[in-house]
Amino acid sequence: MRVFVTGASGWIGSAVVPELIGSGHQVVGLARSDASAAALTAAGVEVVRGTVDDLDVLGSTAAASDGVIHLAFKHDIAFTGDFQGAAEADRRAVDTFGDALSGTGRPFVLASGVVGLASGRVATERDSPTIDGSPASVRSATAQAALALASRGVRSSVVRLSPTCHGEGDNGFMAALVAIARAKGVSGHIGDGANRWPAVHRLDAAQLFRLAVEKAPAGSVLHGVAEEGVPIRDIAEVIGRHLEVPVTPVAPEAAAEHFTWLGGFLGQDVAASNALTRELLDWRPTRPGLLEDLDKGHYFRVPATPA
């Protein structure tokens, strides 16, 4: 297959590309910078220059491809105060892909997330997000729109990713927690830290995206979850041990000050199952779990910088 991948040089995309190529697929990657273009070319990718705002480029490249994996998201503006704008740009891109692929039966795979599906219980692939007009639900509505493309003759699927897709080189939530613990001199968790986060190694996630573009049925919801829920307290204890700092509970009312932008996420209990995904696609995550990966030490080799 000739697969068009947006976000191909990003954290997940840079794992998806070799996964696809290693399985015999040809990859076309969207690059918005010279550095990204050079990295993709070196990886054996056919480069198309542009951004997620270049809808003509997205549409024409999708129409000339056998399938699309959409990983790009404007995280640069999302995490600096304009999540709404980033989500709206993402919706325009998805609508463009839908128009380009309508009636073809070709696959379209969208990256989404499990956060916000259920609180205090294990979310499954059958759970639907709440659409209430909030900025976060704009992105959830985009995922629902992607699934609805199945009625227009697109083999669409959504991969809901764990909040942490870990691995060497990760600069996301885990790196942020390490950086905060190093700066504060304590490794914190909110309250008793019993709330859970699901986790997946980026290489296992990459395999799931490849399986989705190859064979996920139209309208499939897939969970990129290897571990159902890792208690935040356990994560804090590993970080504290490696940095040799105390592990300390942080009161919920002090979370925003202590954890800055991460404070709004860290207290959530967002456990999620992958049972239906494993059954549907025979996906078998095999890479190290989150705590084992943290214990390898690569998160602590140099000062980590929050994403």
Side-chain angles (χ1 to χ4, degrees), residues 64-78:
S65 302
D66 298 314
V68 176
I69 298 177
H70 181 39
L71 304 172
F73 190 74
K74 299 173 78 171
H75 291 100
D76 51 346
I77 69 170

Side-chain angles (χ1 to χ4, degrees), residues 140-155:
S140 297
T142 297
Q144 297 301 101
L147 295 173
L149 292 175
S151 66
R152 296 175 54 192
V154 180
R155 184 162 62 81

Side-chain angles (χ1 to χ4, degrees), residues 119-286:
S119 180
R121 65 172 178 82
V122 177
T124 77
E125 294 88 338
R126 293 193 177 98
D127 283 308
S128 296
T130 299
I131 310 298
D132 58 9
S134 65
S137 75
V138 174
R139 195 175 189 190
S140 297
T142 297
Q144 297 301 101
L147 295 173
L149 292 175
S151 66
R152 296 175 54 192
V154 180
R155 184 162 62 81
S156 60
S157 60
V158 170
V159 175
R160 294 171 175 166
L161 288 167
S162 302
T164 179
C165 296
H166 57 90
E168 188 160 3
D170 176 17
N171 198 33
F173 287 145
M174 290 303 105
L177 279 176
V178 171
I180 291 167
R182 182 177 277 116
K184 298 285 187 178
V186 297
S187 179
H189 53 76
I190 298 175
D192 64 5
N195 61 298
R196 302 153 295 169
W197 272 16
V200 65
H201 195 284
R202 68 188 286 257
L203 298 181
D204 285 322
Q207 183 190 53
L208 180 57
F209 278 102
R210 192 256 302 167
L211 291 171
V213 81
E214 288 178 344
K215 62 182 183 179
S220 299
V221 174
L222 309 168
H223 275 188
V225 171
E227 296 176 279
E228 212 170 73
V230 182
I232 299 297
R233 180 180 57 245
D234 292 354
I235 296 170
E237 287 173 351
V238 175
I239 293 173
R241 184 171 70 252
H242 278 268
L243 294 181
E244 299 182 340
V245 298
V247 178
T248 305
V250 175
E253 59 270 21
E257 179 181 357
H258 185 92
F259 295 105
T260 64
W261 63 271
L262 192 54
F265 298 98
L266 196 61
Q268 296 186 41
D269 188 51
V270 289
S273 168
N274 68 7
L276 299 178
T277 300
R278 291 166 66 104
E279 179 181 350
L280 183 66
L281 296 183
D282 195 30
W283 178 55
R284 296 290 182 267
T286 60

Side-chain angles (χ1 to χ4, degrees), residues 5-67:
V5 181
T6 70
S9 61
W11 174 237
I12 301 298
S14 59
V16 169
V17 164
E19 176 72 26
L20 290 170
I21 292 174
S23 296
H25 301 292
Q26 177 186 0
V27 178
V28 182
L30 185 70
R32 64 176 181 172
S33 70
D34 291 342
S36 293
L40 292 177
T41 299
V45 174
E46 178 185 334
V47 174
V48 173
R49 294 300 297 264
T51 74
V52 292
D53 293 320
D54 295 320
L55 302 183
D56 289 344
V57 173
L58 300 186
S60 61
T61 308
S65 302
D66 298 314

